Amino acid sequence: MYSEKVMDHFNNPRNMGEIENPSGVGTVGNAKCGDIMRIYLDVDEAGVIRDVKFKTFGCGAAVATSSMATELVKGKTVEEALQVTNKAVMEALDGLPPVKVHCSLLAEEAIHAALWDYAERQGIVIEGLREPVADVDEIVET
């Protein structure tokens, strides 16, 4: 059912926790499944994500996608982090069961929400970044 990578990131999550005085924080949820994901970013003066942490309330797939998403953005510029998609998260985990694909979408949206918060705090515009939605179900249904 789950790949070895999914199980590894669930059993040994990377970058779990929170960052004190973060550069940006993004929180998203999915009302249908009850998953809630929060991503914390620490961005340096050059726009590089030097640290990233997550806190997730949800199933094993939600924890694994959070963990992998943080791995994919750590050390990247904010523009590069914006390019991390739910498909990239799923590929990095060697796939997810179809009923758990929404977890990867949640991870993508949590990254984007944290980037949005960072941009708001800095008073900058990140090209291609859109304002986060309240509930990921809104994205899935459109």
Side-chain angles (χ1 to χ4, degrees), residues 73-134:
V73 301
K74 195 171 195 175
K76 301 272 193 320
T77 66
V78 293
E79 292 81 10
E80 291 169 331
L82 182 59
Q83 303 308 312
V84 173
T85 64
N86 73 305
K87 288 182 175 75
V89 173
M90 285 193 305
E91 287 173 9
L93 288 169
D94 293 337
L96 288 171
V99 298
K100 295 298 181 178
V101 169
H102 70 276
C103 294
S104 64
L105 187 56
L106 204 60
E108 175 185 335
E109 288 303 310
I111 292 167
H112 290 188
L115 290 170
W116 180 269
D117 184 51
Y118 164 73
E120 291 280 296
R121 292 178 189 210
Q122 297 298 310
I124 62 172
V125 173
I126 300 172
E127 192 66 36
L129 182 62
R130 60 177 167 62
E131 188 168 2
V133 296

